[in-house]
Amino acid sequence: QLLVAHCARDTPQFHEEGAWALANLSADVRNAIPIVEAGALPVLFALVNSDSASVQLQATWVFANLSVVDELKAQIGAHDGFVEALYAGLERTAHAPDAHRALRLQTIRTLANLAVDVSNRHRVASGLQTAKDTLVRSNRDDIA
């Protein structure tokens, strides 16, 4: 709960540090449910839309890790506007510098993990073609 509170503080440095710590903890799936039970999801949903690319990266990385857990896939994917925010982030970073490569990769990882759950398939599929077209048009070597 302390890390979640750290993420919710009102400065990008706290957002990034807290989300970074949660990303590290969430790499171990045994920590996923306790992270969610500590109230992390609403804070992380907000951080995915941060103005800071590094904050977006850390929050998306947490979601990529959490979305591996079957019990969490539907809950994460059903959050209003979340899948759309992920696709918007892909479109924003398609022509961006290489610094955004990790963010694109974690976003794609999150979407792939969420799509495994039948309740998320339509939501994930609805933005897939537009995102694919945008990424292909970007002519970036790191997108295949």
Side-chain angles (χ1 to χ4, degrees):
Q1 287 178 340
L2 289 174
L3 280 176
V4 173
H6 193 75
C7 288
R9 293 183 68 181
D10 198 23
T11 56
Q13 180 180 351
F14 288 123
H15 298 162
E16 183 177 3
E17 291 170 354
W20 176 79
L22 288 172
N24 285 326
L25 287 171
S26 65
D28 183 341
V29 295
R30 295 174 296 181
N31 293 327
I33 301 296
I35 288 170
V36 171
E37 288 174 348
L41 290 184
V43 174
L44 291 167
F45 286 129
L47 296 182
V48 165
N49 293 308
S50 170
D51 291 335
S52 166
S54 57
V55 171
Q56 290 172 20
L57 169 61
Q58 297 307 323
T60 304
W61 209 310
V62 177
F63 280 118
N65 291 341
L66 295 178
S67 63
V68 170
V69 179
D70 289 336
E71 298 85 3
L72 298 177
K73 290 178 193 295
Q75 182 180 359
I76 293 169
H79 183 77
D80 189 38
F82 178 60
V83 169
E84 295 79 5
L86 292 175
Y87 279 125
L90 277 179
E91 290 186 38
R92 270 193 317 275
T93 64
H95 303 286
D98 289 338
H100 295 290
R101 182 175 189 268
L103 177 55
R104 286 189 296 271
L105 292 174
Q106 293 308 318
T107 300
I108 291 166
R109 187 173 153 232
T110 302
L111 289 165
N113 290 341
L114 292 175
V116 172
D117 186 84
V118 69
S119 68
N120 292 325
R121 286 193 187 137
H122 177 71
R123 239 183 318 274
V124 172
S126 68
L128 193 57
Q129 187 63 47
T130 302
K132 181 184 79 77
D133 292 346
T134 300
L135 294 171
V136 168
R137 278 194 310 272
S138 73
N139 289 324
R140 296 192 51 83
D141 291 338
D142 66 329
I143 300 171

